[in-house]
Amino acid sequence: MNRMLKATAVAALCCTVAGTGYMGVAQAAGHDGGADGSTARATHAGHGDRGDSFVGEKKISVEGRSVNVSCAGRQSDRKPVVVLVAGLGDGLDAMADLQRTLSEKNRVCSYDRLGEGGSDKPEGPQSMADTGRVLTGVINRVSGDSPVVLAGHSLGGLIAARYAPDHRDKVKGLVLMDATSSTTTADVTRVIPESATGDSGDLRAQSIAVMQGQNPENLVVPDGKVRSAGWIPTQVLRHGQQYLAQFPTYGPQLEADWTKGQYAWAAVSHRSTIRVAENSGHYIYVDRKDIAVKSIQRVAAEVTQRNGGWWGHEGR
């Protein structure tokens, strides 16, 4: 089959895995007490603290590990800090253009997870709890007392959606851009039989390998249920080009399951909306940057409007 089609199909199921020569599927975490391994809320500085106001890239220390962070834009009262969470195999540079555009109205930060970009390599296998603790360290450093909007792509969207329910005091909005489905691993192994050969067999095998930690982050990512983060404004964006359906034999069912998974993410909030990014592939923030920008700005604006009496509370 066409190599580009194969690469695109696998990328849609997760994202590029740098340095492995192929792409793979990453998957949601099980409910292990939260995306950072505990139900504790993210701690932050005292009242009036806006966090670290640096602009550009900076290395920060999180639990003794060096994490590369980039921030742009100025923070103002009541406005949330937008934190971008890239997909597996992507460093913060992948979202640099999106960050620059968003920084015209909000302070926007991105970061390299351990094993990506300029951050330290993980010392061994990582769990979703581990990657959640790194995210907590970044949020605490860049946001201070300000609320946060998480905008994640692919596996980054899954990480954001798994993290938000246990950090409702800080995460006040979500934008999920073609987020990895919470049942992708089960879907792929159910749709593509173990007996499959050729490109389909490769896709199945690669997916299993990546979900077991054979990726730049050594991140093990098992399936899990979608949990609610309450009433935070949430925008779910899914790709509009149904190229998964072109994958031989199993494509239509993979596309159907992917779409179903995107709608399932709506359960992460009672205040969620779903939008199809027409004419977009998996990288919505590249193919339809306008839609990604408007969605993030819309969620950030709603958080700003509700900040006075709603921030810090779980209510409507």
Side-chain angles (χ1 to χ4, degrees):
M1 65 176 295
N2 182 282
R3 287 185 61 189
M4 183 59 69
L5 174 57
K6 179 183 177 182
T8 302
V10 183
L13 292 172
C14 181
C15 46
T16 303
V17 179
T20 62
Y22 61 84
M23 302 179 189
V25 178
Q27 200 39 46
H31 186 186
D32 58 357
D36 69 349
S38 85
T39 56
R41 304 300 188 218
T43 58
H44 48 87
H47 180 71
D49 180 17
R50 293 185 180 179
D52 197 329
S53 60
F54 74 94
V55 172
E57 288 191 30
K58 182 176 184 177
K59 298 291 183 65
I60 69 171
S61 179
V62 179
E63 297 188 346
R65 308 294 288 167
S66 178
V67 177
N68 193 39
V69 181
S70 172
C71 289
R74 301 179 61 183
Q75 178 61 352
S76 61
D77 292 339
R78 293 170 56 85
K79 282 190 174 183
V81 173
V82 176
V83 176
L84 304 177
V85 190
L88 184 68
D90 287 332
L92 58 80
D93 58 327
M95 307 185 89
D97 186 52
L98 177 65
Q99 178 171 304
R100 281 192 294 270
T101 301
L102 291 169
S103 68
E104 296 173 4
K105 294 187 177 181
N106 288 86
R107 181 159 176 77
V108 187
C109 297
S110 55
Y111 72 108
D112 291 325
R113 294 190 296 277
L114 296 184
E116 305 286 4
S119 292
D120 281 351
K121 303 298 182 183
E123 295 179 339
Q126 290 198 94
S127 66
M128 291 294 287
D130 295 323
T131 202
R133 280 190 288 269
V134 173
L135 178 52
T136 293
V138 171
I139 287 175
N140 289 347
R141 184 64 173 267
V142 303
S143 68
D145 281 343
S146 300
V148 167
V149 170
L150 292 180
H153 169 249
S154 196
L155 183 66
L158 183 151
I159 290 172
R162 295 297 298 176
Y163 183 88
D166 297 304
H167 299 85
R168 302 186 195 188
D169 65 324
K170 287 294 292 181
V171 180
K172 298 302 180 183
L174 281 173
V175 178
L176 309 179
M177 296 175 282
D178 228 32
T180 301
S181 170
S182 65
T183 58
T184 303
T185 302
D187 292 342
V188 170
T189 54
R190 173 178 50 80
V191 173
I192 304 177
E194 189 174 2
S195 59
T197 59
D199 291 320
S200 297
D202 289 344
L203 173 58
R204 191 182 195 278
Q206 291 166 6
S207 301
I208 294 172
V210 171
M211 76 177 182
Q212 290 177 340
Q214 295 183 33
N215 57 68
E217 300 176 36
N218 290 345
L219 183 59
V220 179
V221 279
D223 281 349
K225 294 181 179 180
V226 175
R227 294 183 295 123
S228 175
W231 291 84
I232 64 173
T234 297
Q235 177 74 69
V236 178
L237 301 177
R238 67 179 182 89
H239 65 250
Q241 294 176 349
Q242 294 190 18
Y243 48 79
L244 281 174
Q246 300 176 44
F247 199 87
T249 308
Y250 306 106
Q253 189 58 55
L254 289 173
E255 184 73 56
D257 286 347
W258 181 264
T259 299
K260 183 179 178 181
Q262 299 308 296
Y263 279 92
W265 279 126
V268 78
S269 172
H270 301 298
R271 194 181 297 274
S272 63
T273 57
I274 301 174
R275 180 176 181 181
V276 178
E278 298 293 346
N279 301 315
S280 71
H282 183 51
Y283 280 80
I284 293 173
Y285 64 88
V286 175
D287 297 336
R288 291 303 308 271
K289 177 184 170 184
D290 57 325
I291 293 178
V293 168
K294 289 179 182 178
S295 296
I296 295 170
Q297 288 178 339
R298 184 180 300 114
V299 169
E302 185 170 346
V303 172
T304 300
Q305 293 169 0
R306 299 170 62 83
N307 191 8
W310 176 74
W311 171 35
H313 300 282
E314 186 179 335
R316 303 185 186 186

